Amino acid sequence: MFKPARMKKLRIITLDKYADSAVSSLHEAGLVQIEDISERIQQDAEWRQILKPSSTSPFTGKISSLLMKTSGTVDFLKSMSRKEKGILPLVKGFISPPPIKKVEVEALDTQELIQKAEKILGEVESKTKPLEEKINQLDSRKTELENALRVARNLSNFNVDLGLLEESDYVSVIAGKLSLESYDKFMGNLKDLTDEIVVFDQDSESKGFKILVVVTVNKHAEEVLSQLRKMEFERFEFLGLSGKPDELIGKSQSELESIAREKESILNQLADISAEWFEELRALKEELEIEKQRNEVFSSFGETEKTVLFEGWVPEKKLKNALLTIDTSTEGHSIVDVTDPDVEKDEIPVQLDNPKFAKPYEMFVHMYSPPNYREVDPTILMAIVFPFFFGFCLTEAGYGIADALIGYIIFRGLGRNSKTMANMGLIMIACGVWAVILGLVTNSFIGDFFPRFIWGDTAMALPTTIPSINSFAHPENILIIAILVGVIHLNLGLAIGAYNNIVRGDMKEALGAQIVWFILEAGVVLLALGYLLLGGGILMYAGIGVLVLSLIMLVYFNGMFGIMDVSGFLGNVLSYARLLALCLSTGGIAMTVNILTGICAEMIPLIGIIIAPIVFVGGQIANLAFQTLGAFINALRLHYVEFFAQFYIGGSQKFKAFRAKRKFTNIGGK
């Protein structure tokens, strides 16, 4: 429970004709992590004499190609599906998302799956491809019409057939938009350009611009264009346009409306196809992903002419099931060698083994680093202490209720389809409960909401308050509690670190890195007791002696710089004072919002009654969001930086079972 799961090492030999069934069965069971032995075979001469590395299945390329095609089709149909618009469906999707509907599929071999995929993709493509091509044509035509509309609107004041503006054998026509400043400059330069040029201009609908139609002979066209380009001239393209601008505007608008209607109709057809095929294609994609994994895993094996050999890891608790799965899938034609791992030489994958209540917190340990195989797994301790630290940082009953409710909504909503979100929901519930408990005993429920607005006497405290730890009256006592909690937390980490070192046989490290701090603390306690209880005497001298002993040990085990570690240890203890700071800031800001609400209601006539609730709700929500985030980060920091630093090494690889992840499919019989 406080250690990672015990692991067993497997070496499996079976006939090549049973390799597929063995791989498929192990993949569905998800019990074993397969190791890649191909490199060892290539590098070890003894192994190379017996085995050769297996290669991937010849179908891997085909499967990958079909998977890519299916993924593209799934994404396309997802984008074409009908979606409810508005905030309400969004909120509903968060609070109560529909459960994932799994598709019942058959257990197919690789070739059968390829045939199935080709058939389904062909059928879907025969329906979607013509519609996609039609949409592309409509989009292309829409772009042309929008350009025509833009040009026609800009040239509407010229009232000329745009077909006449096309270039001829001798004359070039350039039309476009130019700023007034550049226009003046261009007109001033005309004499230097050529005499064989005529410029027509009109005011643009855009303020500060002119619309120009420049007519010149072909041989001067490039030079004129070059001058205009230097002035950020926006040229209009009217190739293929004909008719007067007003006629063109009316015609283009009418056709654009027609295109919009036709496109809407096609999108509806695609939405129907999406509704019919999306779930089946999503299931097909999952089947192909699983098949790809199975085909690729063979490259990790070794083989002879008639047999295959592969190795793997299995948690000791699942060994029996793994052996039964291998024996059944190979019809007894297999040999399995089970050994204990060599903790010094093997890179043993780590699987955390914790009770149900602590499982959600395993992700925090994995985020930091999976523990060493022989280390203590801190997950259970984190499951107990993390919500308490969060509650201590928040220490606010009203906010705690809100956090617990949000956690419940996440657990019951998004948590239905996501294990990670379910775990996050459970963690938030636990954190919220601790915030409620600590908020009630320290007199904080949305700051001083009840005394200020309900009872009308800000001197009153909540009936659940313990007077000596009233956060508004006795913050010094909360500081003492925070420091004591920190000392206990750090000593727990030191005890675990000492245990880890002793198990590893490194007594010197245990004495110099952990046990010495226990001795130092004992010296401080004796010194304090001697001074406070006896005013000096033997107890005080004993404390001084123990303190000196701890300093000698620090120098002996860690060198002269070991003395510097005392300030580091003191810094770690004082880090826990943040619990007080965060506790007071939450209640303090909440109380400030309450005061501002009261001022708005009393000081601003009439409108104050409307503004006050807005200030209260907005201010409290903002404080809740910031303080919740701060409490989460600081609770995590106290574990990662202060607690784990006393004992944690980590760095192992996480156990990754060779498992078929079936989120959208259920496998059935043929």
Side-chain angles (χ1 to χ4, degrees):
M1 193 163 65
F2 285 98
K3 285 287 190 76
R6 298 294 94 190
M7 303 298 290
K8 291 289 183 182
K9 196 173 182 180
L10 301 180
R11 181 170 292 166
I12 303 144
I13 303 173
T14 186
L15 295 174
D16 55 0
K17 68 178 182 178
Y18 292 109
D20 283 338
S21 60
V23 165
S24 296
S25 299
L26 287 174
H27 202 206
E28 293 296 338
L31 302 168
V32 177
Q33 174 177 312
I34 304 289
E35 290 291 288
D36 188 349
I37 62 171
S38 59
E39 191 175 336
R40 197 192 318 164
I41 294 171
Q42 290 172 336
Q43 293 178 353
D44 190 313
E46 190 177 346
W47 276 62
R48 205 163 54 241
Q49 285 181 346
I50 307 169
L51 296 166
K52 63 177 182 180
S54 293
S55 54
T56 55
S57 163
F59 301 109
T60 304
K62 183 67 178 175
I63 291 288
S64 298
S65 171
L66 286 169
L67 177 58
M68 192 179 298
K69 200 171 180 180
T70 307
S71 298
T73 309
V74 168
D75 292 341
F76 174 70
L77 289 185
K78 187 177 182 182
S79 68
M80 290 295 114
S81 62
R82 292 189 179 86
K83 298 178 182 69
E84 292 182 82
K85 296 178 182 175
I87 300 253
L88 196 60
L90 189 69
V91 173
K92 188 181 173 187
F94 179 79
I95 295 175
S96 181
I100 292 174
K101 191 177 176 183
K102 292 192 173 187
V103 176
E104 196 74 22
V105 297
E106 295 179 343
L108 303 174
D109 63 30
T110 308
Q111 288 177 296
E112 288 173 330
L113 180 60
I114 289 173
Q115 289 171 2
K116 175 186 173 182
E118 288 176 336
K119 183 182 174 187
I120 291 176
L121 287 170
E123 197 168 341
V124 175
E125 268 189 2
S126 68
K127 295 181 178 180
T128 59
K129 203 162 184 178
L131 298 175
E132 282 185 77
E133 288 174 357
K134 187 63 181 172
I135 283 181
N136 290 336
Q137 290 170 5
L138 291 174
D139 286 341
S140 177
R141 181 59 184 155
K142 183 184 174 187
T143 303
E144 291 174 6
L145 290 170
E146 286 173 344
N147 176 61
L149 200 57
R150 184 175 64 85
V151 172
R153 280 174 175 160
N154 278 296
L155 297 175
S156 58
N157 290 336
F158 287 91
N159 195 28
V160 62
D161 188 332
L162 298 186
L164 301 175
L165 300 182
E166 288 189 6
E167 286 189 0
S168 68
D169 292 339
Y170 305 101
V171 177
S172 287
V173 181
I174 303 165
K177 189 161 73 173
L178 194 65
S179 69
L180 285 176
E181 185 182 345
S182 298
Y183 169 77
D184 294 337
K185 189 176 176 183
F186 175 68
M187 295 301 288
N189 293 339
L190 272 183
K191 290 179 182 175
D192 299 332
L193 282 173
T194 175
D195 293 335
E196 297 173 319
I197 186 168
V198 180
V199 179
F200 302 94
D201 63 79
Q202 291 286 343
D203 290 335
S204 169
E205 289 181 357
S206 306
K207 201 171 181 182
F209 286 89
K210 282 275 189 184
I211 303 297
L212 304 185
V213 175
V214 182
V215 183
T216 184
V217 292
N218 278 347
K219 63 180 180 181
H220 300 303
E222 194 55 41
E223 186 181 358
V224 172
L225 259 178
S226 174
Q227 286 291 326
L228 286 169
R229 284 195 196 104
K230 292 175 185 173
M231 301 174 186
E232 298 181 358
F233 176 69
E234 183 189 347
R235 188 177 183 184
F236 301 147
E237 297 294 339
F238 40 79
L239 184 66
L241 300 181
S242 63
K244 291 187 176 180
D246 289 345
E247 297 170 359
L248 203 58
I249 289 170
K251 187 180 171 186
S252 298
Q253 285 178 333
S254 173
E255 195 172 347
L256 279 170
E257 288 170 5
S258 172
I259 285 174
R261 287 193 297 274
E262 191 174 354
K263 191 171 176 180
E264 183 67 28
S265 169
I266 293 172
L267 290 176
N268 278 331
Q269 292 178 54
L270 285 170
D272 291 339
I273 295 170
S274 175
E276 182 184 356
W277 287 97
F278 177 73
E279 286 179 0
E280 189 164 350
L281 274 165
R282 188 174 61 181
L284 176 64
K285 180 186 170 189
E286 187 170 89
E287 284 184 277
L288 290 168
E289 286 171 342
I290 291 169
E291 193 61 34
K292 184 169 176 278
Q293 289 172 1
R294 286 178 187 170
N295 280 269
E296 288 176 342
V297 81
F298 283 100
S299 63
S300 306
F301 296 180
E303 65 180 14
T304 65
E305 190 176 343
K306 292 289 185 185
T307 64
V308 295
L309 179 146
F310 58 100
E311 292 184 351
W313 295 96
V314 61
E316 191 175 50
K317 290 180 180 177
K318 297 177 180 175
L319 176 63
K320 191 176 176 182
N321 282 343
L323 294 177
L324 183 62
T325 302
I326 295 167
D327 190 61
T328 305
S329 60
T330 59
E331 297 178 352
H333 295 83
S334 60
I335 300 170
V336 183
D337 180 33
V338 182
T339 56
D340 288 319
D342 185 331
V343 292
E344 299 295 338
K345 296 179 180 178
D346 289 327
E347 291 184 11
I348 308 166
V350 167
Q351 184 180 50
L352 303 185
D353 184 20
N354 292 293
K356 197 172 179 181
F357 82 93
K359 281 282 178 191
Y361 298 85
E362 288 183 354
M363 66 178 175
F364 289 154
V365 176
H366 284 306
M367 277 167 58
Y368 188 84
S369 177
N372 184 277
Y373 185 65
R374 289 192 292 175
E375 269 189 307
V376 168
D377 170 15
T379 305
I380 293 178
L381 298 173
M382 207 167 178
I384 296 168
V385 179
F386 181 87
F388 171 73
F389 277 178
F390 178 94
F392 205 142
C393 290
L394 206 59
T395 319
E396 171 52 66
Y399 292 179
I401 291 171
D403 285 335
L405 281 174
I406 292 170
Y408 180 76
I409 290 169
I410 291 174
F411 177 70
R412 297 292 298 175
L414 297 178
R416 283 183 188 174
N417 300 326
S418 166
K419 190 178 177 184
T420 302
M421 295 309 294
N423 288 339
M424 283 302 300
L426 290 172
I427 290 170
M428 280 204 71
I429 292 171
C431 290
V433 168
W434 268 111
V436 172
I437 294 169
L438 295 177
L440 290 176
V441 298
T442 58
N443 189 27
S444 186
F445 189 104
I446 317 181
D448 58 349
F449 178 81
F450 280 104
R452 183 173 295 277
F453 297 123
I454 306 297
W455 302 327
D457 181 0
T458 54
M460 290 181 70
L462 294 171
T464 53
T465 304
I466 298 174
S468 58
I469 56 172
N470 185 331
S471 58
F472 296 124
H474 296 290
E476 72 280 1
N477 290 338
I478 296 178
L479 175 62
I480 293 169
I481 292 171
I483 297 296
L484 283 175
V485 165
V487 170
I488 294 169
H489 198 223
L490 285 176
N491 281 327
L492 188 59
L494 290 171
I496 296 170
Y499 172 79
N500 283 339
N501 283 322
I502 292 169
V503 166
R504 282 193 287 266
D506 195 348
M507 196 62 197
K508 184 180 175 184
E509 181 67 16
L511 285 166
Q514 286 98 25
I515 295 173
V516 65
W517 299 113
F518 292 129
I519 296 172
L520 185 143
E521 287 172 354
V524 172
V525 171
L526 287 173
L527 190 63
L529 288 176
Y531 179 76
L532 294 173
L533 299 180
L534 306 175
I538 190 165
L539 208 55
M540 191 169 164
Y541 290 118
I544 294 172
V546 174
L547 267 176
V548 171
L549 173 63
S550 66
L551 295 176
I552 292 171
M553 286 178 68
L554 275 174
V555 173
Y556 178 77
F557 288 110
N558 304 314
M560 286 305 294
F561 286 105
I563 298 294
M564 301 291 289
D565 293 343
V566 175
S567 63
F569 183 75
L570 190 61
N572 284 338
V573 173
L574 292 177
S575 283
Y576 289 83
R578 75 185 62 227
L579 294 171
L580 167 72
L582 291 160
C583 155
L584 293 182
S585 68
T586 309
I589 295 173
M591 189 167 66
T592 304
V593 173
N594 292 341
I595 293 170
L596 286 173
T597 303
I599 290 172
C600 289
E602 293 170 7
M603 306 285 289
I604 305 175
L606 299 176
I607 304 175
I609 298 173
I610 300 170
I611 294 176
I614 297 172
V615 170
F616 177 77
V617 174
Q620 298 297 355
I621 288 176
N623 192 32
L624 167 66
F626 284 120
Q627 298 296 344
T628 296
L629 182 63
F632 192 88
I633 291 171
N634 280 286
L636 205 57
R637 186 193 185 283
L638 287 172
H639 280 86
Y640 282 174
V641 180
E642 273 77 18
F643 184 56
F644 281 13
Q646 309 308 322
F647 66 95
Y648 205 76
I649 296 176
S652 295
Q653 58 166 320
K654 183 182 174 184
F655 176 79
K656 292 179 181 174
F658 180 59
R659 174 181 289 120
K661 293 179 182 174
R662 293 194 177 277
K663 188 176 179 182
F664 304 111
T665 58
N666 272 329
I667 194 160
K670 283 187 178 179

mmCIF file of all heavy atoms in Angstrom, residues 642-668:
data_model
loop_
_atom_site.group_PDB
_atom_site.id
_atom_site.type_symbol
_atom_site.label_atom_id
_atom_site.label_comp_id
_atom_site.label_asym_id
_atom_site.label_seq_id
_atom_site.Cartn_x
_atom_site.Cartn_y
_atom_site.Cartn_z
ATOM 1 N N GLU A 642 8.604 21.318 -0.399
ATOM 2 C CA GLU A 642 9.035 21.126 0.984
ATOM 3 C C GLU A 642 9.016 19.648 1.407
ATOM 4 O O GLU A 642 9.984 19.158 1.973
ATOM 5 C CB GLU A 642 8.136 21.938 1.930
ATOM 6 C CG GLU A 642 8.576 23.366 2.135
ATOM 7 C CD GLU A 642 8.234 24.262 0.952
ATOM 8 O OE1 GLU A 642 7.367 23.864 0.147
ATOM 9 O OE2 GLU A 642 8.854 25.345 0.809
ATOM 10 N N PHE A 643 7.934 18.944 1.110
ATOM 11 C CA PHE A 643 7.755 17.576 1.603
ATOM 12 C C PHE A 643 8.579 16.566 0.797
ATOM 13 O O PHE A 643 9.378 15.817 1.353
ATOM 14 C CB PHE A 643 6.266 17.229 1.545
ATOM 15 C CG PHE A 643 5.912 15.886 2.103
ATOM 16 C CD1 PHE A 643 6.262 15.531 3.400
ATOM 17 C CD2 PHE A 643 5.210 14.959 1.338
ATOM 18 C CE1 PHE A 643 5.931 14.283 3.921
ATOM 19 C CE2 PHE A 643 4.869 13.718 1.850
ATOM 20 C CZ PHE A 643 5.227 13.380 3.132
ATOM 21 N N PHE A 644 8.406 16.549 -0.522
ATOM 22 C CA PHE A 644 9.109 15.565 -1.349
ATOM 23 C C PHE A 644 10.626 15.747 -1.272
ATOM 24 O O PHE A 644 11.377 14.783 -1.435
ATOM 25 C CB PHE A 644 8.657 15.682 -2.807
ATOM 26 C CG PHE A 644 7.329 15.021 -3.088
ATOM 27 C CD1 PHE A 644 6.504 14.618 -2.060
ATOM 28 C CD2 PHE A 644 6.908 14.789 -4.388
ATOM 29 C CE1 PHE A 644 5.279 14.026 -2.303
ATOM 30 C CE2 PHE A 644 5.683 14.182 -4.656
ATOM 31 C CZ PHE A 644 4.864 13.808 -3.597
ATOM 32 N N ALA A 645 11.078 16.986 -1.024
ATOM 33 C CA ALA A 645 12.528 17.231 -0.996
ATOM 34 C C ALA A 645 13.211 16.471 0.129
ATOM 35 O O ALA A 645 14.430 16.253 0.089
ATOM 36 C CB ALA A 645 12.783 18.725 -0.843
ATOM 37 N N GLN A 646 12.457 16.028 1.131
ATOM 38 C CA GLN A 646 13.065 15.337 2.273
ATOM 39 C C GLN A 646 13.353 13.860 1.987
ATOM 40 O O GLN A 646 14.119 13.232 2.709
ATOM 41 C CB GLN A 646 12.137 15.426 3.509
ATOM 42 C CG GLN A 646 11.659 16.835 3.834
ATOM 43 C CD GLN A 646 12.800 17.829 3.941
ATOM 44 O OE1 GLN A 646 13.875 17.520 4.452
ATOM 45 N NE2 GLN A 646 12.570 19.037 3.435
ATOM 46 N N PHE A 647 12.721 13.297 0.962
ATOM 47 C CA PHE A 647 12.901 11.854 0.792
ATOM 48 C C PHE A 647 12.782 11.358 -0.652
ATOM 49 O O PHE A 647 13.250 10.274 -0.981
ATOM 50 C CB PHE A 647 11.849 11.101 1.632
ATOM 51 C CG PHE A 647 10.438 11.296 1.167
ATOM 52 C CD1 PHE A 647 9.832 10.393 0.304
ATOM 53 C CD2 PHE A 647 9.701 12.393 1.587
ATOM 54 C CE1 PHE A 647 8.526 10.564 -0.110
ATOM 55 C CE2 PHE A 647 8.394 12.581 1.161
ATOM 56 C CZ PHE A 647 7.803 11.673 0.315
ATOM 57 N N TYR A 648 12.163 12.131 -1.517
ATOM 58 C CA TYR A 648 11.724 11.569 -2.793
ATOM 59 C C TYR A 648 12.833 11.581 -3.830
ATOM 60 O O TYR A 648 13.503 12.595 -4.013
ATOM 61 C CB TYR A 648 10.525 12.376 -3.300
ATOM 62 C CG TYR A 648 9.619 11.615 -4.243
ATOM 63 C CD1 TYR A 648 8.744 10.663 -3.761
ATOM 64 C CD2 TYR A 648 9.654 11.844 -5.600
ATOM 65 C CE1 TYR A 648 7.910 9.962 -4.610
ATOM 66 C CE2 TYR A 648 8.822 11.152 -6.462
ATOM 67 C CZ TYR A 648 7.949 10.215 -5.959
ATOM 68 O OH TYR A 648 7.132 9.519 -6.810
ATOM 69 N N ILE A 649 13.001 10.452 -4.523
ATOM 70 C CA ILE A 649 13.965 10.374 -5.619
ATOM 71 C C ILE A 649 13.231 10.264 -6.948
ATOM 72 O O ILE A 649 13.426 11.054 -7.856
ATOM 73 C CB ILE A 649 14.916 9.173 -5.435
ATOM 74 C CG1 ILE A 649 15.762 9.352 -4.171
ATOM 75 C CG2 ILE A 649 15.820 9.014 -6.668
ATOM 76 C CD1 ILE A 649 16.650 8.184 -3.849
ATOM 77 N N GLY A 650 12.336 9.277 -7.054
ATOM 78 C CA GLY A 650 11.542 9.118 -8.271
ATOM 79 C C GLY A 650 12.388 8.782 -9.485
ATOM 80 O O GLY A 650 13.484 8.224 -9.379
ATOM 81 N N GLY A 651 11.873 9.128 -10.651
ATOM 82 C CA GLY A 651 12.626 8.914 -11.890
ATOM 83 C C GLY A 651 12.379 7.581 -12.549
ATOM 84 O O GLY A 651 13.002 7.285 -13.581
ATOM 85 N N SER A 652 11.511 6.760 -11.989
ATOM 86 C CA SER A 652 11.243 5.454 -12.617
ATOM 87 C C SER A 652 10.285 5.635 -13.794
ATOM 88 O O SER A 652 9.653 6.671 -13.945
ATOM 89 C CB SER A 652 10.629 4.501 -11.590
ATOM 90 O OG SER A 652 11.550 4.222 -10.580
ATOM 91 N N GLN A 653 10.188 4.586 -14.606
ATOM 92 C CA GLN A 653 9.218 4.612 -15.693
ATOM 93 C C GLN A 653 7.884 4.084 -15.189
ATOM 94 O O GLN A 653 7.828 3.179 -14.371
ATOM 95 C CB GLN A 653 9.707 3.777 -16.882
ATOM 96 C CG GLN A 653 9.980 2.318 -16.534
ATOM 97 C CD GLN A 653 10.135 1.446 -17.763
ATOM 98 O OE1 GLN A 653 9.418 1.598 -18.727
ATOM 99 N NE2 GLN A 653 11.088 0.546 -17.721
ATOM 100 N N LYS A 654 6.821 4.704 -15.675
ATOM 101 C CA LYS A 654 5.484 4.294 -15.264
ATOM 102 C C LYS A 654 5.099 3.000 -15.980
ATOM 103 O O LYS A 654 5.406 2.838 -17.164
ATOM 104 C CB LYS A 654 4.508 5.422 -15.621
ATOM 105 C CG LYS A 654 3.082 5.185 -15.184
ATOM 106 C CD LYS A 654 2.224 6.360 -15.637
ATOM 107 C CE LYS A 654 0.755 6.098 -15.346
ATOM 108 N NZ LYS A 654 -0.099 7.187 -15.862
ATOM 109 N N PHE A 655 4.455 2.087 -15.258
ATOM 110 C CA PHE A 655 3.981 0.838 -15.865
ATOM 111 C C PHE A 655 2.906 1.156 -16.900
ATOM 112 O O PHE A 655 1.915 1.810 -16.594
ATOM 113 C CB PHE A 655 3.408 -0.076 -14.772
ATOM 114 C CG PHE A 655 2.807 -1.347 -15.305
ATOM 115 C CD1 PHE A 655 3.612 -2.416 -15.659
ATOM 116 C CD2 PHE A 655 1.435 -1.468 -15.451
ATOM 117 C CE1 PHE A 655 3.060 -3.588 -16.152
ATOM 118 C CE2 PHE A 655 0.874 -2.635 -15.938
ATOM 119 C CZ PHE A 655 1.688 -3.693 -16.288
ATOM 120 N N LYS A 656 3.157 0.744 -18.128
ATOM 121 C CA LYS A 656 2.193 0.982 -19.202
ATOM 122 C C LYS A 656 1.774 -0.349 -19.788
ATOM 123 O O LYS A 656 2.519 -0.945 -20.568
ATOM 124 C CB LYS A 656 2.817 1.865 -20.297
ATOM 125 C CG LYS A 656 3.091 3.285 -19.834
ATOM 126 C CD LYS A 656 3.718 4.100 -20.944
ATOM 127 C CE LYS A 656 4.017 5.513 -20.454
ATOM 128 N NZ LYS A 656 4.756 6.304 -21.451
ATOM 129 N N ALA A 657 0.643 -0.817 -19.352
ATOM 130 C CA ALA A 657 0.162 -2.122 -19.823
ATOM 131 C C ALA A 657 -0.121 -2.068 -21.328
ATOM 132 O O ALA A 657 -0.582 -1.047 -21.838
ATOM 133 C CB ALA A 657 -1.089 -2.515 -19.055
ATOM 134 N N PHE A 658 0.182 -3.162 -21.998
ATOM 135 C CA PHE A 658 -0.186 -3.308 -23.410
ATOM 136 C C PHE A 658 -1.697 -3.545 -23.433
ATOM 137 O O PHE A 658 -2.175 -4.654 -23.226
ATOM 138 C CB PHE A 658 0.596 -4.492 -23.995
ATOM 139 C CG PHE A 658 0.309 -4.766 -25.438
ATOM 140 C CD1 PHE A 658 0.527 -3.805 -26.405
ATOM 141 C CD2 PHE A 658 -0.160 -6.012 -25.830
ATOM 142 C CE1 PHE A 658 0.265 -4.068 -27.740
ATOM 143 C CE2 PHE A 658 -0.418 -6.289 -27.158
ATOM 144 C CZ PHE A 658 -0.206 -5.314 -28.109
ATOM 145 N N ARG A 659 -2.443 -2.465 -23.616
ATOM 146 C CA ARG A 659 -3.893 -2.525 -23.422
ATOM 147 C C ARG A 659 -4.632 -1.903 -24.603
ATOM 148 O O ARG A 659 -4.261 -0.829 -25.084
ATOM 149 C CB ARG A 659 -4.279 -1.775 -22.156
ATOM 150 C CG ARG A 659 -5.774 -1.655 -21.928
ATOM 151 C CD ARG A 659 -6.141 -0.898 -20.684
ATOM 152 N NE ARG A 659 -5.822 -1.673 -19.492
ATOM 153 C CZ ARG A 659 -4.986 -1.274 -18.554
ATOM 154 N NH1 ARG A 659 -4.398 -0.104 -18.664
ATOM 155 N NH2 ARG A 659 -4.744 -2.023 -17.498
ATOM 156 N N ALA A 660 -5.667 -2.578 -25.033
ATOM 157 C CA ALA A 660 -6.543 -2.023 -26.075
ATOM 158 C C ALA A 660 -7.513 -1.064 -25.401
ATOM 159 O O ALA A 660 -8.335 -1.473 -24.594
ATOM 160 C CB ALA A 660 -7.308 -3.152 -26.766
ATOM 161 N N LYS A 661 -7.369 0.230 -25.715
ATOM 162 C CA LYS A 661 -8.241 1.228 -25.090
ATOM 163 C C LYS A 661 -9.540 1.322 -25.874
ATOM 164 O O LYS A 661 -9.591 1.875 -26.970
ATOM 165 C CB LYS A 661 -7.534 2.585 -25.077
ATOM 166 C CG LYS A 661 -6.324 2.601 -24.170
ATOM 167 C CD LYS A 661 -5.634 3.941 -24.195
ATOM 168 C CE LYS A 661 -4.394 3.898 -23.311
ATOM 169 N NZ LYS A 661 -3.605 5.148 -23.414
ATOM 170 N N ARG A 662 -10.572 0.732 -25.320
ATOM 171 C CA ARG A 662 -11.875 0.711 -25.989
ATOM 172 C C ARG A 662 -12.809 1.715 -25.326
ATOM 173 O O ARG A 662 -13.501 1.407 -24.367
ATOM 174 C CB ARG A 662 -12.464 -0.694 -25.954
ATOM 175 C CG ARG A 662 -11.660 -1.686 -26.783
ATOM 176 C CD ARG A 662 -12.417 -2.977 -27.021
ATOM 177 N NE ARG A 662 -11.648 -3.878 -27.867
ATOM 178 C CZ ARG A 662 -11.622 -3.823 -29.193
ATOM 179 N NH1 ARG A 662 -12.329 -2.903 -29.816
ATOM 180 N NH2 ARG A 662 -10.897 -4.658 -29.891
ATOM 181 N N LYS A 663 -12.797 2.921 -25.870
ATOM 182 C CA LYS A 663 -13.677 3.975 -25.351
ATOM 183 C C LYS A 663 -14.990 4.036 -26.125
ATOM 184 O O LYS A 663 -16.014 4.409 -25.593
ATOM 185 C CB LYS A 663 -12.946 5.324 -25.475
ATOM 186 C CG LYS A 663 -13.642 6.477 -24.807
ATOM 187 C CD LYS A 663 -12.794 7.738 -24.903
ATOM 188 C CE LYS A 663 -13.505 8.929 -24.256
ATOM 189 N NZ LYS A 663 -12.701 10.164 -24.403
ATOM 190 N N PHE A 664 -14.909 3.653 -27.403
ATOM 191 C CA PHE A 664 -16.099 3.784 -28.252
ATOM 192 C C PHE A 664 -16.601 2.441 -28.770
ATOM 193 O O PHE A 664 -17.539 2.404 -29.557
ATOM 194 C CB PHE A 664 -15.790 4.695 -29.454
ATOM 195 C CG PHE A 664 -15.281 6.052 -29.063
ATOM 196 C CD1 PHE A 664 -13.973 6.422 -29.316
ATOM 197 C CD2 PHE A 664 -16.112 6.959 -28.419
ATOM 198 C CE1 PHE A 664 -13.501 7.669 -28.948
ATOM 199 C CE2 PHE A 664 -15.656 8.204 -28.053
ATOM 200 C CZ PHE A 664 -14.341 8.564 -28.314
ATOM 201 N N THR A 665 -15.943 1.354 -28.414
ATOM 202 C CA THR A 665 -16.357 0.048 -28.939
ATOM 203 C C THR A 665 -16.462 -0.983 -27.820
ATOM 204 O O THR A 665 -15.773 -0.900 -26.807
ATOM 205 C CB THR A 665 -15.350 -0.486 -29.979
ATOM 206 O OG1 THR A 665 -14.056 -0.580 -29.364
ATOM 207 C CG2 THR A 665 -15.263 0.413 -31.182
ATOM 208 N N ASN A 666 -17.335 -1.931 -28.023
ATOM 209 C CA ASN A 666 -17.404 -3.142 -27.206
ATOM 210 C C ASN A 666 -17.199 -4.308 -28.135
ATOM 211 O O ASN A 666 -17.831 -4.373 -29.199
ATOM 212 C CB ASN A 666 -18.773 -3.274 -26.527
ATOM 213 C CG ASN A 666 -18.812 -2.556 -25.196
ATOM 214 O OD1 ASN A 666 -17.796 -2.465 -24.509
ATOM 215 N ND2 ASN A 666 -19.973 -2.039 -24.853
ATOM 216 N N ILE A 667 -16.299 -5.192 -27.792
ATOM 217 C CA ILE A 667 -16.048 -6.307 -28.691
ATOM 218 C C ILE A 667 -17.005 -7.453 -28.382
ATOM 219 O O ILE A 667 -17.266 -7.781 -27.244
ATOM 220 C CB ILE A 667 -14.576 -6.761 -28.587
ATOM 221 C CG1 ILE A 667 -14.235 -7.675 -29.740
ATOM 222 C CG2 ILE A 667 -14.271 -7.439 -27.273
ATOM 223 C CD1 ILE A 667 -12.764 -7.799 -29.999
ATOM 224 N N GLY A 668 -17.590 -8.027 -29.458
ATOM 225 C CA GLY A 668 -18.504 -9.143 -29.288
ATOM 226 C C GLY A 668 -18.047 -10.335 -30.095
ATOM 227 O O GLY A 668 -16.998 -10.321 -30.729
#
